[in-house]
Amino acid sequence: TWALAYGCFRRPPRPGVFVTGTDTGVGKTLVSACLVRRWQAQYWQPLQSGPADDEGDTPTVARLAGGEGADARAVRCFPPAGAYQASLSPEAAARAEGVAINPVHLCLPMEQPEYPLVVEGAGGLMVPVTDDLMMVDLARLWGLPVVLVARSGMGTLNHTLLGLEALRARGIAVAG
């Protein structure tokens, strides 16, 4: 359709990708770190939930993408627009802390646009950000092509095809 073709050829506001997954725990952070390291890109996870359970995705990407020893380099990671302790969707985690996510604060960082930006979503495409906004809506708003990460196991084919269908229906370009 015209919408799909437009989405595939529309120039993003800056070079980069939006990394999302078929669900949580599928390897989005590892894939993001690989892309950041390979492209010498910047990293941003706009909404983080669950750092009470582990170190969080931003420090993990910085550690993995930065390398060790003589190969080590500093990775430019932008701070999240919102970080919430509970391992829930960003909307539910924010609500549990008595706050609401303000979409106005969810703007792509535009510093040093000559470097690619790897944006990592929270959970999967249909994870709620607010009552009216889901992760897939942010991907569309930002105009970056999407990298869809899937686990290897039962249900993967179905979840992947549903994710691709959701992206195509919104005219969002798929990078991989």
Side-chain angles (χ1 to χ4, degrees), residues 89-101:
S89 71
E91 185 271 335
R95 190 171 3 101
E97 293 183 19
V99 297
I101 296 171

Side-chain angles (χ1 to χ4, degrees), residues 73-176:
R73 70 172 191 86
V75 175
R76 173 72 193 261
C77 296
F78 295 100
Y84 311 101
Q85 295 302 308
S87 292
L88 302 167
S89 71
E91 185 271 335
R95 190 171 3 101
E97 293 183 19
V99 297
I101 296 171
N102 186 345
V104 171
H105 297 124
L106 299 176
C107 296
L108 280 180
M110 295 307 285
E111 294 90 12
Q112 298 178 310
E114 65 274 12
Y115 292 99
L117 176 66
V118 175
V119 179
E120 182 181 349
L125 286 168
M126 305 308 277
V127 167
V129 173
T130 67
D131 288 339
D132 304 323
L133 197 65
M134 293 183 285
M135 279 291 153
V136 71
D137 299 319
L138 293 178
R140 183 172 189 216
L141 174 71
W142 294 328
L144 296 173
V146 170
V147 172
L148 182 62
V149 181
R151 73 176 75 243
S152 175
M154 187 65 82
T156 297
L157 186 58
N158 180 60
H159 292 139
T160 304
L161 292 174
L162 286 171
L164 292 171
E165 178 75 20
L167 293 167
R168 280 193 198 106
R170 290 163 177 82
I172 299 171
V174 177

